[in-house]
Amino acid sequence: MKELLFLVLVTSCFWGYSQKADYGYLTQKSSYQKYLSKSGDILNVADTLMIGIPSSDLGFMYISQGGYGVNNELSHKKVIINKLRTYGKKSQGFKMYVHFKGYGLAPVVIDYETALETGEI
């Protein structure tokens, strides 16, 4: 009986943490190790992304740090993904965000699908 209880306890710990997320099937706020994007690309933690050009004269609209769009100096830089995380609400849906180390305490966050569509990454 104790062994069964232990087994149930151990397996329930893994239900809250998922390894892979697929576009169109994001249903909760969580962290992931892999992401299958709308275009079929697979992103992994520790992969490198190339930052593109800003979609606005004011800077990047879908790449932000501390709630503010980052400026143009990030253009054409390579960054390493250190977290893949979904944010959102059930009523509005969830989006995948890519985190990487910024130029201060706050991480830089990319709204991945929108930034990809606009050429920011």
Side-chain angles (χ1 to χ4, degrees), residues 12-52:
S12 68
C13 292
F14 294 106
W15 287 334
Y17 181 73
S18 181
Q19 293 291 323
K20 184 180 174 200
D22 295 337
Y23 176 82
Y25 296 97
L26 305 174
T27 59
Q28 64 184 359
K29 185 176 172 181
S30 187
S31 292
Y32 299 93
Q33 292 295 311
K34 293 183 179 190
Y35 174 61
L36 177 62
S37 72
K38 181 180 179 179
S39 62
D41 298 327
I42 295 177
L43 294 178
N44 294 297
V45 171
D47 281 354
T48 302
L49 287 178
M50 176 65 114
I51 304 297

Side-chain angles (χ1 to χ4, degrees), residues 4-117:
L4 180 62
L5 182 61
F6 178 73
L7 181 62
V8 169
L9 179 64
V10 169
T11 56
S12 68
C13 292
F14 294 106
W15 287 334
Y17 181 73
S18 181
Q19 293 291 323
K20 184 180 174 200
D22 295 337
Y23 176 82
Y25 296 97
L26 305 174
T27 59
Q28 64 184 359
K29 185 176 172 181
S30 187
S31 292
Y32 299 93
Q33 292 295 311
K34 293 183 179 190
Y35 174 61
L36 177 62
S37 72
K38 181 180 179 179
S39 62
D41 298 327
I42 295 177
L43 294 178
N44 294 297
V45 171
D47 281 354
T48 302
L49 287 178
M50 176 65 114
I51 304 297
I53 57 172
S55 60
S56 167
D57 291 338
L58 302 174
F60 291 94
M61 299 296 295
Y62 305 103
I63 303 175
S64 62
Q65 184 174 19
Y68 299 99
V70 297
N71 64 22
N72 300 347
E73 293 175 13
L74 200 56
S75 249
H76 305 293
K77 303 262 190 217
K78 290 182 180 180
V79 297
I80 297 173
I81 299 170
N82 65 0
K83 190 185 292 186
L84 295 168
R85 184 152 177 85
T86 52
Y87 295 101
K89 297 179 182 177
K90 285 187 179 186
S91 61
Q92 298 173 341
F94 292 88
K95 285 184 164 188
M96 180 58 69
Y97 287 83
V98 174
H99 292 233
F100 65 91
K101 185 165 175 28
Y103 302 103
L105 296 177
V108 178
V109 180
I110 302 171
D111 174 352
Y112 181 75
E113 296 294 343
T114 310
L116 189 62
E117 287 176 11

